[in-house]
Amino acid sequence: MARKFYLTATMPDGYVKTIGPTNAAFSHYWRIVAVLQNGKTEVFWGHAKTLAEARGKQAAAADAARQRGWTRYDFEIAELERTSEPPCT
């Protein structure tokens, strides 16, 4: 059985997302912050095994914005860092 580890991404605004424990080979974390027509926001996120896979989500975000009528959205990608221990909170 493969040894489990934690994956941590730090977004440009300082938000930290930790995934794990896991033994999955994810390399990037992506996040969409969508602004709805009523002014509220929704956040969608996921992880990918490659940067190219994560970038592919950006086209899906544009489609979702059109279909759901978002007034705007921010799409961000951060590299995941692998650690053996969870970060301190």
Side-chain angles (χ1 to χ4, degrees):
M1 183 150 128
R3 184 174 173 94
K4 296 199 177 214
F5 48 86
Y6 292 86
L7 297 169
T8 303
T10 303
M11 303 308 285
D13 63 0
Y15 176 79
V16 176
K17 175 67 176 179
T18 300
I19 302 164
T22 185
N23 57 6
F26 296 121
S27 65
H28 289 81
Y29 169 82
W30 56 267
R31 175 176 76 173
I32 301 166
V33 179
V35 179
L36 309 179
Q37 290 178 348
N38 63 6
K40 295 183 179 183
T41 59
E42 284 190 23
V43 178
F44 304 90
W45 62 272
H47 26 72
K49 293 183 178 181
T50 65
L51 178 57
E53 181 184 343
R55 285 183 177 153
K57 303 297 181 184
Q58 192 161 11
D63 288 341
R66 282 189 296 278
Q67 291 174 2
R68 298 177 181 180
W70 298 341
T71 58
R72 71 176 192 81
Y73 69 93
D74 294 316
F75 181 85
E76 301 168 314
I77 299 173
E79 190 169 358
L80 287 162
E81 294 182 31
R82 184 176 171 167
T83 61
S84 58
E85 297 291 325
C88 296
T89 55

